[in-house]
């Protein structure tokens, strides 16, 4: 579904990603592990068209994403839920959710149907619909951010550290919901530092260090790997 081929991304003279090749197959939940500054967000922003790779190719299904505008990339089915949520805090939860439906604004029936699906995933948001998004708890705000991304009807959903700053119990529920989103048919690429929880729901994972992919494997292999355990699981 998604294929990255020898991607380089630079910030000025600093090479943040080097020779990154990866694939995500339809239906998979793939985790991208990496410490602070490894390059996870940079990779997502390159796929989303917010950063221009200096070398390499990004292929999504039959489309070459390099050079496409961010909104065209969203329309083609690749949607990012950005690190730090990036909500509009003064606007209501509903307005934030509907922002994600902008790419499908002509399909009101479809948006209504999708809104119901999102509210089924996050029932609490129905009660909070008219409240300013900024008044919600951290976990609820993360639900709004994921819900907004889902309103864009992704076929590939990229989640950038959704568990950041959330309490352990909230993190657990968040990962359950991400697993459910995947089970319902959305392919997921998930960047996380919370390696154990992420690997538990993943089919496969990649490990990124200093802009390079250094390891790849399925869930069992990664959970059983000594280096992964030492570096990311603390066991
Ligand atoms: N706008 C920028 N200008 C210059 N350097 C940047 C910029 N954004 C990121 N970098 C650098 O690129 C590298 C990768 O950063 P990136 O944000 O992609 O890492 P990350 O894996 O998402 O980290 P985190 O887990 O902390 O979010 C880091 O060394 C960072 O300092
Ligand atoms: Mg990041």
């Amino acid at each position: 579904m998604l294929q990255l081929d020898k991607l380089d991304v630079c910030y000025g003279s600093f090479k943040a990603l080097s020779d990154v090749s990866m694939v995500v197959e339809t239906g998979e939940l793939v985790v991208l592990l990496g410490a602070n500054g490894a390059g996870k967000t940079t990779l997502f922003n390159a796929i989303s068209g917010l950063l221009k790779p200096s070398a390499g190719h990004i292929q999504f299904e039959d489309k070459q994403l390099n050079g496409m505008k961010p909104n065209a990339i969203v329309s083609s089915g690749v949607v990012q839920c950005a690190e730090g949520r990036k909500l509009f805090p003064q606007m209501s939860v509903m307005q934030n959710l509907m922002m994600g439906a902008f790419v499908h604004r002509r399909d009101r029936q479809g948006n209504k149907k999708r809104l119901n699906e999102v509210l089924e995933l996050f029932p609490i948001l129905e009660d909070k619909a008219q409240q300013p998004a900024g008044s919600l708890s951290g976990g609820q705000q993360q639900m709004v951010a994921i819900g907004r991304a889902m309103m864009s009807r992704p076929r590939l959903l990229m989640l950038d550290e959704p568990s950041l700053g959330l309490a352990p119990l909230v993190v657990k529920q968040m990962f359950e919901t991400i697993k459910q989103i995947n089970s319902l048919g959305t392919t997921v690429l998930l960047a996380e530092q919370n390696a154990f929880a992420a690997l538990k729901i993943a089919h496969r994972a990649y490990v990124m260090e200093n802009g390079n992919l250094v390891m790849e494997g399925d869930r069992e292999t990664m959970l059983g790997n000594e280096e992964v355990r030492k570096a990311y699981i603390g066991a």
Side-chain angles (χ1 to χ4, degrees), residues 11-210:
Y11 295 108
S13 60
F14 173 68
K15 202 178 209 182
L17 293 185
S18 176
D19 206 29
V20 171
S21 299
M22 76 158 53
V23 289
V24 178
E25 304 288 357
T26 306
E28 274 192 315
L29 196 166
V30 175
V31 167
L32 177 61
L33 299 176
N36 289 119
K40 305 178 296 295
T41 299
T42 301
L43 182 64
F44 280 14
N45 285 342
I47 297 169
S48 298
L50 301 167
L51 288 171
K52 196 173 139 34
S54 52
H57 296 284
I58 306 170
Q59 177 98 15
F60 177 67
E61 295 174 337
D62 57 352
K63 285 198 180 78
Q64 188 83 24
L65 298 191
N66 317 47
M68 274 172 66
K69 294 223 167 69
N71 61 341
I73 291 174
V74 171
S75 297
S76 78
V78 178
V79 181
Q80 171 168 210
C81 180
E83 191 176 0
R85 298 159 201 152
K86 307 261 161 60
L87 299 178
F88 298 91
Q90 324 284 6
M91 291 170 66
S92 72
V93 166
M94 186 57 66
Q95 286 170 323
N96 272 276
L97 289 176
M98 291 315 288
M99 210 78 80
F102 184 75
V103 285
H104 303 291
R105 59 196 172 280
R106 284 180 201 89
D107 178 17
R108 291 185 60 190
Q109 275 311 108
N111 286 337
K112 215 169 139 187
K113 178 163 172 281
R114 180 42 78 109
L115 180 62
N116 285 330
E117 291 163 2
V118 167
L119 294 176
E120 254 170 60
L121 282 172
F122 304 111
I124 185 85
L125 297 186
E126 185 144 28
D127 305 334
K128 307 274 181 189
Q130 302 314 322
Q131 295 196 22
S135 73
L136 270 56
S137 73
Q140 291 165 349
Q141 291 193 31
Q142 187 60 58
M143 293 177 195
V144 178
I146 296 176
R148 180 177 59 183
M150 289 302 288
M151 288 305 297
S152 303
R153 305 184 210 171
R155 275 175 294 125
L156 173 66
L157 174 65
M158 297 192 291
L159 298 167
D160 195 352
E161 302 207 40
S163 77
L164 203 66
L166 304 182
L169 189 63
V170 182
V171 171
K172 193 162 175 266
Q173 289 164 348
M174 182 64 60
F175 280 104
E176 280 305 315
T177 308
I178 293 167
K179 188 178 171 186
Q180 194 186 353
I181 287 171
N182 176 245
S183 307
L184 290 169
T186 307
T187 306
V188 175
L189 180 57
L190 169 64
E192 264 297 335
Q193 296 201 41
N194 203 327
F196 188 58
L199 284 174
K200 277 210 299 201
I201 61 164
H203 297 112
R204 244 168 10 95
Y206 290 90
V207 177
M208 183 171 261
E209 276 174 15
N210 300 319

